[in-house]
Amino acid sequence: MNVTETKQRFNRIFDAYIKREGSSALYNWLESTDFFTAPASSRFHCAYAGGLCEHSLNVFNNLMLIYEMEKKANPEAVANISMESLAIVGLLHDVCKIDFYTIDYRNVKNKDGQWEKVPYYGINEKLPMGHGEKSVYLINKYIKLTDDEALAINWHMGGFDKRVIGGDNSISNAFEKSALSVLLQTADFLASYINEKR
């Protein structure tokens, strides 16, 4: 899927479900950044132009599938989750990666044994605040997240979150309190490790 198609799909979902006060300003901010053209990672999943938006759509799609499955199997567990919340956390969980990647060059030997400069994605962190917590901070500049949405976005990296690796087990408490957090983390991992080119 190309950058134009992913942006159009993103816009349709955003416009259909995200109606909260400040959502227009939030979208205008996304438009002013590299959100629609940035990669999702430097060398892992969706490491190409437009990969961040594509990944966000993949996470949203997975989130909808998991939510519908749980709605049938365990409706009381997901009864308080709205379509707006699903769209917000699915589409926006990785806004921390906006203006995060740079294009750098390195010398690599080509198939003929000649050195040539090839591009690669580097990292230039302008706001070193962490991952999920940075996304929560940036989104909250435009719309007010619910506690459930903030928990889900904050902990969407699951066991890969640096705080968890460092021994913070608050994530377990968040997952016990917030079904949305569990759904988002699962949707994100499915996208990153199963749905997307690595």
Side-chain angles (χ1 to χ4, degrees):
M1 190 175 313
N2 66 40
V3 172
T4 302
E5 290 171 332
T6 55
K7 183 176 180 182
Q8 288 170 346
R9 283 181 56 209
F10 181 96
N11 289 349
R12 282 194 297 272
I13 297 164
F14 190 100
D15 290 343
Y17 299 117
I18 302 177
K19 307 292 187 186
R20 198 164 299 173
E21 183 179 345
S23 60
S24 293
L26 172 59
Y27 184 82
N28 290 339
W29 170 67
L30 293 174
E31 276 261 275
S32 74
T33 70
D34 67 350
F35 178 80
F36 295 105
T37 58
S41 67
S42 60
R43 63 185 195 279
F44 302 111
H45 66 107
C46 291
Y48 44 80
L52 178 55
C53 184
E54 184 178 321
H55 170 70
S56 301
L57 290 167
N58 291 337
V59 171
F60 174 77
N61 291 337
N62 287 341
L63 195 53
M64 292 303 300
L65 291 170
I66 298 165
Y67 170 75
E68 290 300 329
M69 183 179 71
E70 285 304 313
K71 199 160 84 166
K72 289 177 185 163
N74 195 6
E76 65 281 351
V78 296
N80 295 326
I81 299 175
S82 69
M83 282 302 302
E84 184 175 48
S85 287
L86 292 168
I88 287 169
V89 304
L91 295 179
L92 303 172
H93 69 284
D94 267 348
V95 295
C96 57
K97 295 178 180 180
I98 286 174
D99 296 329
F100 181 73
Y101 296 105
T102 58
I103 296 178
D104 296 318
Y105 292 87
R106 63 177 160 230
N107 292 323
V108 175
K109 280 191 178 180
N110 64 23
K111 62 181 172 140
D112 300 322
Q114 302 296 314
W115 289 100
E116 63 183 13
K117 284 190 175 197
V118 296
Y120 73 97
Y121 287 112
I123 293 173
N124 181 17
E125 176 60 275
K126 297 178 183 90
L127 186 62
M129 187 178 278
H131 189 84
E133 56 269 54
K134 180 180 171 186
S135 288
V136 169
Y137 171 76
L138 292 171
I139 297 165
N140 264 326
K141 285 183 166 190
Y142 300 95
I143 63 172
K144 184 164 175 42
L145 293 171
T146 67
D147 290 348
D148 207 28
E149 293 160 356
L151 283 173
I153 294 168
N154 183 58
W155 292 112
H156 77 268
M157 289 293 289
F160 290 99
D161 190 290
K162 300 290 187 198
R163 295 165 294 176
V164 174
I165 293 168
D168 184 340
N169 55 5
S170 301
I171 192 171
S172 297
N173 195 12
F175 284 174
E176 286 174 15
K177 292 182 183 323
S178 169
L180 185 61
S181 297
V182 178
L183 298 181
L184 179 61
Q185 192 247 336
T186 304
D188 187 38
F189 277 20
L190 283 170
S192 301
Y193 287 95
I194 294 179
N195 307 136
E196 297 168 356
K197 180 180 175 187
R198 294 185 67 76

